[in-house]
Amino acid sequence: MDLFETGRTQRVSREEAAAKLHALADSLARHNSVELDKDGKRITVSIPDEVDLKVEVEIGSENELEIELTW
């Protein structure tokens, strides 16, 4: 299995973060896939009709909301 990580962090406004999540969700709903870019390379990840969804919240000195899809 090839590992293609786009794990870069960028500071954006809450509204910009929401817009990125909306775009990702819209792509998933309409095309059954998502496209990711990294260093000029683009890949398309096909997503099956059913996935496992995990939502994790960590509250402490730094807060985190993690959304994970696996299949």
Side-chain angles (χ1 to χ4, degrees):
M1 173 191 335
D2 291 333
L3 180 61
F4 183 91
E5 284 195 45
T6 61
R8 63 181 182 262
T9 300
Q10 59 186 145
R11 185 72 127 178
V12 297
S13 69
R14 183 182 61 247
E15 292 82 4
E16 288 173 297
K20 289 180 182 287
L21 289 171
H22 277 288
L24 184 61
D26 288 346
S27 179
L28 182 60
R30 286 191 199 130
H31 307 293
N32 299 325
S33 65
V34 295
E35 289 186 353
L36 303 169
D37 293 311
K38 181 182 180 187
D39 301 328
K41 296 178 185 176
R42 176 173 280 203
I43 65 162
T44 300
V45 179
S46 297
I47 312 293
D49 290 337
E50 292 188 4
V51 297
D52 295 318
L53 170 65
K54 178 182 177 182
V55 178
E56 184 177 320
V57 177
E58 294 180 18
I59 298 176
S61 60
E62 287 191 9
N63 300 322
E64 181 177 313
L65 170 63
E66 186 174 320
I67 301 166
E68 180 177 285
L69 298 176
T70 56
W71 59 93

